[in-house]
Amino acid sequence: MASILDEYEDSLHRSVSGQQSRASVGIPHSGYVNARLEKETPIFNKQRIDFAPPEKINSLVVSSNQLCMSLGKDTLLRIDLGKPDEPNQVELGRKDEAKVYKMFLDHTGSHLLIALNTSECLYLNRSVQKVRALSRWKGHLIESVGWNKFLGSETNTGPILVGTSQGQIYEAEISVSEGSLFSTNPDQYFRQVYTLEEESGPAPVCCLEIERGIEGKFFIIATTRKRLFQFVGKVPEGTEQQGFSSIFAVHADHLPSFREFPANLGFSEIAFYTPKLRSNPRSFAWMMGNGVLYGTLDYSRPDSILSDERVWVYPPDIDITVNKPISIVLTQFHFLLLLPDRVKAVCTLNGQVVFQDLFLEKFGLLTRMIKDPTVQQIWIHTEKVVFRYHVQRESRDVWKMYMNMNKFDLAKEYCKDRPECLDIVLAKEAEHCFQNKRYLDSAKCYALTQNYFEEIALKFIEAKQEEALMEFLIKKLSNLKPSEKTQTTLLTTWLTELYLNWLGVLQGDPSQRNLYLDTREKFRTFLSSPKNKDCLFNNRASIYELLASHGDTEHMVYFAVIMQDYERVVAHHCQHDEYDEALNVLSRHRDEKLFYKFSPVLIQHIPKKVVDAWISMGSRLDARNLIPALVNYSQSASTEQINEAIRYMEFCVYQLEETQQAIHNYLLSLYALCRPDSLLSYLEQAGTNPNRIHYDLKYALRLCAEHGHHRACVHIYKVMELYEEAVDPALQVDVDLAKSCADLPEDDEELRKKLWLKIARHVVQEEKDVKKAMACLSSCALLKIEDVLPFFPDFVTIDHFKEAICNSLEDYNKHIEELKREMEEATQSAKRIREDIQEMRNKYGSVEPQEKCAACDFPLLNRPFYLFLCGHMFHYDCLLQAVFPNLPAYKQAKLEDLQKKLAATSQPSKSHHRPKDADTISLGKGQQSREQIKADIDDIVAAECVYCGELMIRSIDKPFIDPQKYEEEMQSWL
């Protein structure tokens, strides 16, 4: 058998029919493209199933992608729509005239009930091929079945409800045995639980639905031709398998709540809509004589779950006596009515007919319409043809309906993926809020639209709603892209102006204090927003001007802090004599340049705190840059205040170990001015090595001299090794100090003697103390009594220094004797030297004829040669060749010069009449003789044996092969 399903038809060919762009003078924005579908696919897209039934179709049911169809009298066709090419045909096996009246398929697609017009009922499970009769059901014409969606399974229906044409409601259960095909009877039980009645008596039970609410509460909906009943009750937990008898028992003595309408179709039908992934329906639609009652289901209500009920009255083209509706199905936003020749779709939001599909007469009258709740497909059939409707993008225009109903949140929910529609909704909502004087809400919506910026801004300005205008600008600013820098700058500046105006108004009204504080907080949040930071920074000059024009120094400082413009903050505090605040800003942000700039001002007012801040900065500050501030401060400050400057300089010198000369010089000047004792201590601690002293010696000397610090001057002279100059100021302070200076030049006895003489003169002439003068003689061995005697006046008697004179004479005698002994030793030494010279003149060596040169190994006597005391013998040229490369450069040059002179003296004269005494004449002219030149060459070349002398020792680390000739030598060995 051919498949009854085809592929979907090609649809949804889109093209852009037009484009509208918007432009604006102030704030440009992107417009939306208005796109329409050339041939927009309908919401309900009909498809005819390619299936030609061999017999007429009596009934059709679909659930969970399982389709069951009754054909003719005795044939049942089952199709798994997931495998449409594998249909299954089952024979009912009836020999009588019974016909299929109705079929009912459960939510799983496993249990099929077949009601016959002979008041019998058959059962077929999806897993079996054989139809079984339900014996307990015999004698009842089944009109409706309420399936148990909570306990039902593929093999067991659980407790279900069955409605008959006589108004009875039965509770039943069908089970398939796993051990064999069936147990004795598939119907476990079949018992009556209630009877529905209308005003004329029992009425057919047209529809049954079982739903479970919260807290174990069950809702049972049952309909007759004119009434809709609701049974509400709880089934104790764990007793659900026992059925719903307890719920109906509550209403045994009184009718349950119901809705009734006067008109009568002869039947009624109720449809439910269940969203995907949910177990409970969300809305309902009941087709009855007067129209369609539809609404939502609210499971939290105590007695009735029907909510938001509305009635759609049949229009004039539907006459219940001629072309009354046959079936109804419900989708998310529409219900569809099946008429004999057409299908109408009505929107549940506004009750408008949005779709009508007319069927051709050749297909025959429409018989039934049913929806598969799991896949949301709608099926319609006649006796000869089957159709299927696909619901496509049902919510495409829902936003517009909600918008017209002023339900803007729902409208936005259904067009959130369609920006052009969302823009329309937001504009409508904004206008609605504006008209209702909800200006802030209006501003928030307008900011999200693509409406002209100027129009909206003017609208709020004309309404004098500055707060709403600010809200609009803030939202608009937050929606701008980073690339839209011009727009961002414009909005930021405008908002600043508005905030300042608004704060100015509120600040003058004490009754608006709370609003002022709230607005101030918002303004500060705006200024400190990370998103606005770059824009505010780039345009900070304009913002400063605005703040200054409004006289808002508080926010000027706040903005400067945000912009990290601490220079402006500190300057502001200084201008307002808030020096502690200024120093706190400096200490908090630790900017060296700001310290250098503002320290001259701050130290005049809070010196101790400023110095403490400098010390806390440590090495981050360059003390040289702070010296100008200290100099200006110290010139006009008291001694106590100068001590703060000294404290910081001492911190730099002793803690930071600064070596900069300017710092040490300034500390010296402060010591010289206020702390003489600390001055000498500092100088002594600095040491006496000039290379390790960090102050300027000359500057320090001049400074100490100006302030009369003689001891300090003495110390500096000693460091400068100017001992003679050191003695003079030392004599003004203490003779002992002068003595210590006089002893310093240890290597210069003449200077030491001179200094001690100066001390002696001072003692004799200035202090006139002979004993001290004699003490000087004993302190310095270089002084003699005769050196000191000229300093004494003529009236001094010899008794005071008789002993000194005697000691001096004894020393002279000892010295004379020592000189005599040295003269005798010198005479003996000269005599021995003369004897050695005479002996050397007579010394000689012998050379055998077979002796060879130690360098070239050729006979020695063939050429001029040298003989050394060590026994080595060399040819002259061999020795010269060995010695020359190892001679210093100046000796090499001298040797070459001597060789040139020697060669010049050996050339024959051009004149054949050379005087015999030519050499004598040349010598007279200052030129060297040939023998003298040879002697000089010998002194250089033959000063020592080349093998035994220092030359060989110095060449111990010389490579055997010259590095520059290494490559050449290596190639010669290959």
Side-chain angles (χ1 to χ4, degrees):
M1 180 180 293
S3 170
I4 68 169
L5 289 179
D6 294 329
E7 296 295 330
Y8 285 107
E9 298 175 352
D10 293 335
S11 60
L12 209 62
H13 299 286
R14 300 186 179 183
S15 64
V16 177
S17 61
Q19 178 175 351
Q20 176 185 4
S21 60
R22 295 183 174 181
S24 174
V25 176
I27 303 296
H29 47 75
S30 57
Y32 290 114
V33 175
N34 293 326
R36 297 291 184 190
L37 298 178
E38 289 184 356
K39 186 179 179 181
E40 191 172 31
T41 304
I43 295 175
F44 303 100
N45 187 24
K46 182 176 69 175
Q47 179 185 11
R48 179 183 174 183
I49 304 303
D50 185 14
F51 171 64
E55 299 180 74
K56 68 177 182 178
I57 302 173
N58 298 321
S59 181
L60 184 145
V61 289
V62 181
S63 184
S64 295
N65 237 14
Q66 302 295 319
L67 183 144
C68 297
M69 188 186 306
S70 171
L71 301 177
K73 176 184 175 183
D74 198 47
T75 303
L76 186 67
L77 187 65
R78 295 187 299 182
I79 301 173
D80 183 351
L81 297 178
K83 302 175 183 178
D85 295 332
E86 302 175 6
N88 177 251
Q89 185 172 322
V90 178
E91 300 297 331
L92 298 181
R94 303 291 296 190
K95 303 301 182 182
D96 52 12
E97 297 299 323
K99 295 180 181 180
V100 175
Y101 175 64
K102 284 185 179 181
M103 293 197 303
F104 308 95
L105 187 62
D106 79 319
H107 62 286
T108 66
S110 301
H111 307 283
L112 176 65
L113 292 175
I114 307 163
L116 304 179
N117 58 359
T118 57
S119 299
E120 295 179 80
C121 191
L122 306 178
Y123 170 76
L124 179 64
N125 189 275
R126 183 169 63 179
S127 61
V128 299
Q129 286 289 104
K130 186 175 180 181
V131 177
R132 295 288 301 203
L134 301 177
S135 58
R136 291 186 175 90
W137 297 39
K138 191 172 182 179
H140 302 283
L141 183 60
I142 307 303
E143 291 285 349
S144 58
V145 176
W147 297 103
N148 192 327
K149 294 179 286 187
F150 318 104
L151 296 178
S153 64
E154 294 184 358
T155 59
N156 189 288
T157 63
I160 61 175
L161 296 177
V162 180
T164 68
S165 60
Q166 301 301 316
Q168 296 98 352
I169 297 178
Y170 287 87
E171 185 178 77
E173 183 177 359
I174 301 173
S175 178
V176 178
S177 173
E178 297 181 2
S180 59
L181 188 59
F182 285 104
S183 61
T184 306
N185 287 309
D187 48 337
Q188 301 299 308
Y189 61 88
F190 190 77
R191 56 175 175 260
Q192 183 177 351
V193 292
Y194 202 79
T195 301
L196 296 182
E197 295 183 355
E198 293 179 352
E199 70 278 1
S200 58
V205 183
C206 300
C207 296
L208 283 170
E209 181 75 15
I210 305 171
E211 295 298 338
R212 181 169 60 185
I214 58 177
E215 298 178 354
K217 186 182 291 187
F218 280 84
F219 298 88
I220 299 173
I221 297 176
T223 66
T224 61
R225 292 167 297 192
K226 297 193 298 181
R227 291 183 177 180
L228 185 150
F229 295 88
Q230 294 184 73
F231 298 88
V232 182
K234 286 189 176 182
V235 175
E237 186 176 356
T239 64
E240 292 88 347
Q241 195 67 40
Q242 298 178 9
F244 308 102
S245 302
S246 60
I247 297 176
F248 290 100
V250 176
H251 303 283
D253 299 329
H254 63 277
L255 288 174
S257 63
F258 64 89
R259 294 293 307 274
E260 183 175 14
F261 291 86
N264 185 359
L265 283 175
F267 64 95
S268 70
E269 185 173 342
I270 191 168
F272 296 90
Y273 169 72
T274 304
K276 293 182 179 179
L277 305 178
R278 292 183 63 88
S279 59
N280 292 334
R282 296 290 298 275
S283 56
F284 74 97
W286 179 40
M287 181 186 71
M288 39 72 183
N290 291 85
V292 177
L293 175 70
Y294 63 96
T296 60
L297 300 177
D298 185 357
Y299 295 92
S300 63
R301 300 179 65 180
D303 299 324
S304 173
I305 62 173
L306 306 184
S307 179
D308 299 330
E309 300 176 37
R310 285 168 287 177
V311 177
W312 183 77
V313 181
Y314 294 131
D317 61 341
I318 298 179
D319 186 352
I320 61 174
T321 60
V322 180
N323 60 338
K324 60 184 178 182
I326 303 169
S327 292
I328 186 171
V329 296
L330 181 63
T331 62
Q332 186 176 4
F333 298 106
H334 302 85
F335 61 80
L336 280 72
L337 285 177
L338 181 68
L339 300 172
D341 60 347
R342 69 193 65 193
V343 173
K344 281 181 180 288
V346 180
C347 179
T348 57
L349 298 178
N350 56 14
Q352 299 295 318
V353 177
V354 297
F355 173 77
Q356 183 168 274
D357 193 6
L358 186 65
F359 287 76
L360 300 177
E361 292 183 3
K362 65 177 182 178
F363 298 135
L365 296 177
L366 301 178
T367 306
R368 183 77 191 280
M369 177 170 62
I370 191 168
K371 186 182 77 169
D372 186 347
T374 58
V375 295
Q376 303 296 327
Q377 291 180 348
I378 300 170
W379 296 79
I380 297 176
H381 71 92
T382 66
E383 292 183 348
K384 299 185 284 186
V385 185
V386 178
F387 297 93
R388 178 176 57 191
Y389 280 98
H390 294 279
V391 183
Q392 298 181 345
R393 296 177 56 240
E394 185 182 4
S395 61
R396 66 182 71 172
D397 294 324
V398 169
W399 64 271
K400 191 180 300 182
M401 301 173 191
Y402 279 129
M403 181 185 69
N404 294 332
M405 297 163 62
N406 292 335
K407 295 183 178 181
F408 299 109
D409 291 338
L410 290 171
K412 287 184 284 189
E413 180 68 24
Y414 285 101
C415 64
K416 58 185 177 183
D417 56 344
R418 300 171 65 184
E420 71 282 0
C421 301
L422 181 61
D423 186 67
I424 298 172
V425 175
L426 288 170
K428 184 69 178 291
E429 182 181 7
E431 186 64 29
H432 176 77
C433 293
F434 192 91
Q435 292 175 357
N436 288 275
K437 301 186 183 304
R438 292 163 48 202
Y439 297 111
L440 287 178
D441 293 335
S442 177
K444 293 176 182 178
C445 293
Y446 269 131
L448 299 175
T449 68
Q450 298 298 317
N451 289 19
Y452 289 115
F453 174 83
E454 296 87 344
E455 293 179 0
I456 301 170
L458 288 172
K459 196 169 187 176
F460 287 115
I461 292 173
E462 291 172 357
K464 297 182 180 180
Q465 295 295 324
E466 285 194 3
E467 188 177 2
L469 176 60
M470 289 166 59
E471 184 68 26
F472 169 70
L473 296 179
I474 291 172
K475 293 295 182 183
K476 203 70 178 178
L477 179 62
S478 65
N479 293 331
L480 289 177
K481 299 177 182 177
S483 59
E484 297 175 317
K485 295 182 180 179
T486 303
Q487 297 89 322
T488 303
T489 301
L490 173 62
L491 292 181
T492 302
T493 308
W494 193 0
L495 276 168
T496 303
E497 176 72 18
L498 291 174
Y499 268 121
L500 291 173
N501 289 338
W502 187 236
L503 286 171
V505 172
L506 295 176
Q507 192 173 16
D509 189 353
S511 63
Q512 300 289 335
R513 179 63 179 173
N514 291 334
L515 181 57
Y516 168 76
L517 295 176
D518 183 58
T519 305
R520 185 183 68 175
E521 187 62 29
K522 289 181 180 178
F523 181 44
R524 292 186 174 184
T525 302
F526 166 75
L527 291 177
S528 59
S529 171
K531 186 173 183 180
N532 303 331
K533 184 176 182 180
D534 291 340
C535 178
L536 290 171
F537 181 80
N538 294 331
N539 300 278
R540 59 189 182 279
S542 301
I543 304 299
Y544 281 131
E545 290 178 5
L546 284 174
L547 292 166
S549 65
H550 285 78
D552 195 341
T553 56
E554 178 185 2
H555 284 106
M556 181 180 290
V557 173
Y558 182 82
F559 180 69
V561 172
I562 293 173
M563 294 294 103
Q564 297 183 355
D565 189 0
Y566 303 116
E567 181 178 351
R568 187 181 296 269
V569 177
V570 177
H572 169 79
H573 289 310
C574 291
Q575 289 171 3
H576 292 79
D577 297 337
E578 298 171 351
Y579 302 109
D580 287 334
E581 288 297 325
L583 184 59
N584 288 338
V585 174
L586 290 176
S587 302
R588 200 161 46 242
H589 301 288
R590 306 175 72 83
D591 189 332
E592 300 88 347
K593 294 181 180 178
L594 295 183
F595 267 103
Y596 300 147
K597 182 172 183 177
F598 292 101
S599 288
V601 176
L602 296 176
I603 200 168
Q604 299 290 337
H605 302 278
I606 47 174
K608 185 179 185 307
K609 292 181 179 180
V610 171
V611 171
D612 289 339
W614 289 351
I615 292 174
S616 68
M617 287 288 289
S619 60
R620 293 184 61 178
L621 289 179
D622 187 348
R624 291 177 301 173
N625 296 328
L626 297 173
I627 289 177
L630 291 172
V631 170
N632 294 334
Y633 168 68
S634 60
Q635 288 177 352
S636 59
S638 64
T639 302
E640 182 179 356
Q641 293 172 324
I642 292 176
N643 287 336
E644 295 299 327
I646 294 176
R647 181 162 68 96
Y648 180 66
M649 288 291 104
E650 288 178 339
F651 169 77
C652 294
V653 171
Y654 299 120
Q655 300 296 324
L656 300 182
E657 299 181 353
E658 286 283 355
T659 59
Q660 296 294 331
Q661 191 178 77
I663 297 173
H664 287 263
N665 288 346
Y666 183 59
L667 180 59
L668 268 175
S669 69
L670 294 175
Y671 279 151
L673 183 64
C674 298
R675 292 188 187 177
D677 296 339
S678 298
L679 171 64
L680 186 60
S681 175
Y682 166 79
L683 293 175
E684 291 174 350
Q685 187 173 352
T688 58
N689 187 346
N691 296 325
R692 296 184 179 181
I693 289 176
H694 304 303
Y695 57 86
D696 187 341
L697 290 168
K698 295 180 180 179
Y699 171 76
L701 182 62
R702 179 173 60 83
L703 196 67
C704 295
E706 287 179 357
H707 292 84
H709 302 311
H710 298 297
R711 286 185 178 274
C713 290
V714 171
H715 178 82
I716 296 171
Y717 278 131
K718 290 194 295 184
V719 174
M720 298 173 68
E721 298 183 354
L722 300 175
Y723 305 116
E724 188 172 358
E725 289 81 354
V727 169
D728 292 334
L731 289 174
Q732 299 179 23
V733 177
D734 184 9
V735 174
D736 291 336
L737 179 62
K739 290 180 180 180
S740 65
C741 295
D743 281 335
L744 290 176
E746 298 177 354
D747 298 333
D748 191 346
E749 292 186 355
E750 184 178 353
L751 178 59
R752 286 175 58 199
K753 183 176 180 180
K754 182 179 179 181
L755 297 178
W756 276 102
L757 286 174
K758 183 177 290 190
I759 295 171
R761 177 183 294 177
H762 174 79
V763 171
V764 173
Q765 295 180 352
E766 299 296 331
E767 298 186 5
K768 303 184 185 310
D769 191 336
V770 177
K771 291 183 178 181
K772 278 189 178 181
M774 294 300 100
C776 290
L777 291 177
S778 61
S779 299
C780 181
L782 298 177
L783 289 182
K784 304 298 180 182
I785 185 63
E786 59 270 24
D787 297 326
V788 180
L789 284 177
F791 302 146
F792 288 96
D794 295 337
F795 59 83
V796 177
T797 60
I798 196 171
D799 294 338
H800 291 89
F801 38 83
K802 176 180 178 181
E803 183 179 355
I805 294 174
C806 293
N807 292 335
S808 177
L809 292 175
E810 290 179 0
D811 290 340
Y812 276 123
N813 288 332
K814 291 180 181 179
H815 186 60
I816 291 170
E817 292 297 327
E818 186 177 350
L819 289 175
K820 289 181 179 179
R821 188 167 55 253
E822 289 179 354
M823 290 175 63
E824 290 179 358
E825 291 178 355
T827 301
Q828 294 296 327
S829 178
K831 181 178 179 181
R832 287 195 297 270
I833 290 172
R834 285 195 296 271
E835 291 175 353
D836 290 342
I837 292 173
Q838 186 62 35
E839 183 180 354
M840 288 298 296
R841 288 177 177 175
N842 298 326
K843 195 170 184 178
Y844 64 92
S846 62
V847 178
E848 298 295 332
Q850 66 272 16
E851 293 289 346
K852 296 182 180 181
C853 174
C856 66
D857 205 29
F858 280 95
L860 185 68
L861 299 179
N862 291 348
R863 299 195 300 275
F865 64 91
Y866 289 99
L867 172 63
F868 291 95
L869 295 177
C870 61
H872 289 112
M873 294 170 281
F874 300 91
H875 290 129
Y876 167 77
D877 54 341
C878 293
L879 183 62
L880 180 64
Q881 186 177 2
V883 170
F884 185 83
N886 298 287
L887 291 174
Y890 75 94
K891 283 191 176 183
Q892 290 181 354
K894 183 177 180 180
L895 182 60
E896 290 177 349
D897 184 57
L898 291 173
Q899 287 178 329
K900 290 179 182 178
K901 289 180 179 180
L902 182 63
T905 58
S906 63
Q907 292 178 355
S909 176
K910 293 182 179 179
S911 174
H912 296 284
H913 305 281
R914 180 182 178 91
K916 294 182 180 180
D917 58 348
D919 291 341
T920 306
I921 295 172
S922 64
L923 288 172
K925 295 180 180 179
Q927 296 180 353
Q928 291 178 314
S929 66
R930 181 180 179 84
E931 287 74 14
Q932 183 63 40
I933 294 172
K934 285 184 177 181
D936 291 341
I937 291 175
D938 290 345
D939 290 341
I940 296 174
V941 175
E944 60 181 359
C945 176
V946 70
Y947 285 171
C948 301
E950 292 183 2
L951 182 63
M952 181 59 66
I953 297 173
R954 287 196 301 270
S955 66
I956 191 71
D957 59 347
K958 184 178 179 181
F960 290 110
I961 301 174
D962 189 347
Q964 297 179 353
K965 299 180 180 180
Y966 180 79
E967 291 294 333
E968 181 182 351
E969 184 70 20
M970 185 176 67
Q971 293 296 328
S972 67
W973 281 68
L974 296 178

